[in-house]
Amino acid sequence: MRVAKFVLVPACLSLFLGGCATELPIGERIARATPAVNVVARGETVPVGSVNQDAADDPAIWRNPARPEASLIVGTDKKAGLYAYGLDGQIRDFFDAGRVNNVDLRADVLVAGTPQIVVAASDRNDLTQAKVALFTLDPISAKLTPLGTVAAGAGEAYGICLAQTEGKFFAFMVLKDGTIHQVALDLAGQTPSGQIVRTMKLGTQSEGCVVDEKTQRLYVAEEDVGLWRFDARPTGALTPSKIAPADGKNIVADAEGVALAEGPGDARYILVSSQGDNAYTIYKASDESYVGRFRIAAGTFGATEETDGIELIVGDFGSAFPGGLFIAQDGMQAGGAQNFKLVAWDDIKAAIGLPN
C-alpha cells in the first residue's frame, strides 16, 4: 500500500505532465467501478502490534487435513515480524523477523530430509538487498522457527509466492520496481541456500503474486497497471501476458494481493485485491475472463478497506468455513491497529453466483 495515491480524472490525463492530478473520493471511485456484491466476515484476527501504522500486510493459510478446525494462519506485520493465528483469530505465536512484507507457505516440504510446513516471507530489512526469510511452522504448537535467509537479488523485497515445479521448490521474489526473480531453494542441508535461475520484469511497482501449480502459471499484480501472467517454469518464456487492466472498472488501482481458488474439478479462479475501491475481483483461470466482484461489508465484524494481501484455500476448515477460507488484510481497523478478516468461500460463491 502507498499512502499517497492519485487517481486521474480523465479530463486531466493530457495535462498530467503539466501537473494536473486529482484524487477521486472513494465514493466516486466506487460509483465508476463495476458493481460489486457484498459479503460479511465470519471472523477476524487480533490486530497486529504496530499501532497507528500501515503494518498488517499479507496472510497465508495452512489447512489441517486431519483436523480442519485446527488450521493455522500466518500474517505479516511489515514493521515487526510474523504472526501465527488460529481460526479463532487468536495469536498463537509471534516471531520478531523485522520488516517482512509478504508471506506464503507450503506443506510437506523436505527440510533436511524431514517433511515440514515451510513459510517464506519477503525480507526487506535491507532495502538494497532482497532476501527470502524461511521458517518452519509447527502444526501443533503453531511455533515459527527460523531456518535462515536466502539472497534474492539487489533491490527492495516486496511480494513473494512459492511453487513446486518440475520437482524443485521455488520462491518468486517480486521486487518493488517490478523485477521478479525466480529463486531455486535448497533446504536439504542444515541451512537453506538458493540460486536465482531466471529474471522477469514488469514496468512499475508490483507486489502480489500467486502460482497455479497445475497450469504452471505465475500471476503478478502491477499496482497501477493491472494483472499479468507469466510462465512459471524455470525454462519458460519471460514475456508476460496482460489479463486485466487497472482501468478503474474491474480493477481500481492499486491492484494488490493475488490469490488462487482451486476446484472442485477444473474450476479455478484468480482473485485480485482492487484496493482503490475496497473490492475484490474474480477471473476464471481457464480463459482469464471476468467473473464478478465483491466487497466485505460491515456485519458482526467490520468491513475491509484498502486491502493489501489476500489468500484463499478451498477445502474444509470446520463448521464456520466448510467450503474454504478467504482472508483479506484490513487497512483501516478501529483502534488504530490493522488486522485480517476471515470470510467463507461459500458466502462469496453464493453472492457472485458461482457453482458449488
Side-chain angles (χ1 to χ4, degrees):
M1 177 192 298
R2 286 172 290 173
V3 176
K5 166 51 93 181
F6 290 94
V7 179
L8 298 181
V9 174
C12 287
L13 289 174
S14 63
L15 300 176
F16 178 67
L17 294 179
C20 177
T22 302
E23 184 179 5
L24 294 178
I26 181 63
E28 189 169 346
R29 278 177 268 157
I30 291 173
R32 290 175 177 231
T34 305
V37 298
N38 287 338
V39 299
V40 296
R42 295 193 185 187
E44 66 180 350
T45 67
V46 172
V48 299
S50 298
V51 181
N52 296 322
Q53 300 183 65
D54 177 24
D57 197 274
D58 192 44
I61 304 168
W62 173 69
R63 192 182 79 85
N64 187 327
R67 296 179 57 225
E69 68 281 357
S71 300
L72 299 171
I73 301 161
V74 177
T76 59
D77 178 337
K78 61 188 176 186
K79 310 294 184 182
L82 283 175
Y83 285 91
Y85 301 96
L87 293 187
D88 59 0
Q90 296 302 304
I91 297 170
R92 297 285 304 279
D93 192 31
F94 172 76
F95 188 85
D96 181 6
R99 294 168 60 88
V100 287
N101 199 56
N102 278 195
V103 66
D104 199 5
L105 62 79
R106 285 292 186 278
D108 300 320
V109 177
L110 291 179
V111 178
T114 301
Q116 302 272 12
I117 303 168
V118 172
V119 176
S122 52
D123 186 325
R124 62 197 293 212
N125 286 293
D126 181 346
L127 298 182
T128 67
Q129 297 295 325
K131 295 181 178 65
V132 180
L134 292 161
F135 307 81
T136 58
L137 174 66
D138 186 275
I140 305 301
S141 68
K143 181 177 177 58
L144 290 156
T145 301
L147 293 172
T149 60
V150 172
E156 183 176 351
Y158 223 47
I160 195 169
C161 49
L162 298 173
Q164 292 176 306
T165 302
E166 298 182 355
K168 295 184 179 180
F169 190 40
F170 295 98
F172 291 87
M173 175 62 73
V174 181
L175 303 184
K176 192 172 184 179
D177 69 356
T179 301
I180 305 157
H181 293 308
Q182 184 170 0
V183 184
L185 299 173
D186 184 351
L187 306 181
Q190 294 302 311
T191 58
S193 61
Q195 179 182 5
I196 296 174
V197 296
R198 66 175 183 149
T199 297
M200 295 154 280
K201 186 72 173 71
L202 293 174
T204 61
Q205 184 166 311
S206 306
E207 185 174 3
C209 68
V210 71
V211 176
D212 185 340
E213 294 179 345
K214 183 174 181 179
T215 61
Q216 295 300 302
R217 292 175 173 178
L218 164 68
Y219 299 92
V220 184
E222 186 178 2
E223 294 188 358
D224 287 341
V225 178
L227 182 66
W228 297 87
R229 167 175 47 81
F230 289 90
D231 191 325
R233 294 170 296 184
T235 57
L238 303 179
T239 303
S241 298
K242 183 183 283 188
I243 293 174
D247 59 2
K249 297 297 183 181
N250 293 342
I251 299 176
V252 181
D254 292 347
E256 286 275 353
V258 186
L260 172 71
E262 300 183 80
D266 292 329
R268 310 170 79 75
Y269 302 97
I270 308 301
L271 287 79
V272 184
S273 169
S274 176
Q275 189 186 82
D277 72 325
N278 301 332
Y280 311 90
T281 307
I282 305 176
Y283 296 91
K284 188 180 294 184
S286 59
D287 60 6
E288 297 162 353
S289 60
Y290 169 77
V291 173
R293 307 175 80 242
F294 67 96
R295 292 189 179 89
I296 302 173
T300 303
F301 304 95
T304 57
E305 295 90 12
E306 299 183 1
T307 292
D308 285 333
I310 59 174
E311 180 64 296
L312 171 59
I313 299 294
V314 175
D316 180 14
F317 283 85
S319 59
F321 309 98
L325 175 61
F326 175 80
I327 300 181
Q329 180 260 5
D330 185 3
M332 297 178 65
Q333 170 73 5
Q338 300 173 341
N339 74 347
F340 301 92
K341 296 295 194 293
L342 283 59
V343 180
W345 176 232
D346 288 343
D347 292 345
I348 297 170
K349 288 194 298 181
I352 295 287
L354 295 178
N356 289 320

